[in-house]
Amino acid sequence: MRARILSIVLPVILIVGASIVSAAPAQAATGDAASVFTQTNAQRTKAGLRPLISDPALDRAAQAWAQQLASTCTFAHSTSAWRTGRVASSGWSATGENIAAGYAANAVVSAWMASSGHRANILNSRYTGVGIGFAKGTCYSSYWVQIFGLSKTATTAGAGDLNGDLAGDVVATDSDGQLVVYRGSGSAGWKGTAVAGTGWQPDDKLVTLGDFSGDGIADVGRIRADGTLELLRGTGGGGFATPTAIGSGWSAFSKVIGGMDFNGDRRTDVLAVKPSGALMLYRGSGSGWWSGGPTQIGNGWHVMTSIMYGGDFDGDTHGDLIARRSDGTLWLYRTTGGGAWNGTKQIGNGWNVMTSVFSPGDFDGNGKPDVLARKSDGSLLLYRGNGKGGWGTISVVGNGWNVMTQIG
């Protein structure tokens, strides 16, 4: 067969090399596949990016699709739903895919890197893991599959990617009772807005929940004045499904924080602060419900005027909390990733002049979580995280945000 190449808009990319007829059973994600994994990370290191981790769920999915291509003598992508169904329960979301056929192990990565679309997947700073699949078939001598994943437990903060373009978005409510999605560009800018809901009351509280439902798509929560906690499942297209009640009595908490996997079971949890200052952990089931009763994991949190899940802010692969105290100091609360704390660190002063402080995750696309803050004049400032528990540069990324009653 004649060599051909085909590029499809992210997150799925195809590439085909020379055809050589051969037949042999599929191989597991070791040997040549391990070599491709190493070569892939060498390209990321060369570009100044963090290496991707190897994960069994991603490997199994990549291997299954490579075997499917080889056994059916076809060359096509798996679907987003197919990939999500195999990796979401292991903590992965926003999966992308590269495939190739007819290349040797020492040539396939170079071929991908020579194509802009495939290169973009390999060098996408938001991806944190990759699985490699390799199989031999009768139509092509080799079939290669890379499935990339974004860890939803350690890196995704805030509203997350609501429309499937791998860029972090922001949600806000306004005085008209609208829930508005501000689509992030992935490079510290915006790609437009869309109304994703109406009928929000002045006393309703917005909570970003991460992927609480376990389907690989970010969700949000709403706490009603009567204390009902509602789950609004993300549709993946920038909107939300009809709210469903998942709890009562939540108006008793002064702060509610979602999106964090505190106990390391790869399921998104919810944290809540009682008026007494007790910090409570409500473990998520991974399917839009709860797992067991609440557990107290801290004291003295009543002094906080703002608390957010900041993703892996210090670069140790574990999610962290960022909190503003009443004196305007900003603090990083590090975790072990397994249900315990790993120390605190002051990371700022003077934050009490901000009318809203929240984390959008990696807003500028450099692979490091950031913080957004609104000033009283309505300007929105981006504080870039340096990936080591500190700060990079600061820039204004919006104006007029004082019309929003809540932002997350």
Side-chain angles (χ1 to χ4, degrees), residues 13 77 180 240 253 289 298 384:
I13 304 295
H77 276 297
V180 184
F240 301 96
F253 298 110
W289 201 249
R384 294 175 173 84

Side-chain angles (χ1 to χ4, degrees), residues 177-272:
Q178 298 182 124
L179 178 65
V180 184
V181 174
Y182 287 79
R183 297 188 297 272
S185 68
S187 56
W190 308 99
K191 292 200 301 186
T193 63
V195 175
T198 58
W200 283 67
Q201 302 301 312
D203 292 333
D204 290 345
K205 294 181 180 179
L206 172 67
V207 183
T208 53
L209 292 176
D211 179 19
F212 189 75
S213 59
D215 60 0
I217 303 171
D219 312 307
V220 300
R222 172 168 57 183
I223 301 175
R224 295 287 198 176
D226 65 1
T228 301
L229 174 59
E230 296 178 336
L231 169 65
L232 286 73
R233 295 173 184 258
T235 63
F240 301 96
T242 302
T244 57
I246 58 172
S248 60
W250 286 79
S251 57
F253 298 110
S254 60
K255 300 285 185 299
V256 177
I257 309 96
M260 183 179 198
D261 171 23
F262 185 79
N263 60 352
D265 64 355
R266 293 186 177 271
R267 299 169 181 173
T268 304
D269 306 314
V270 175
L271 309 182

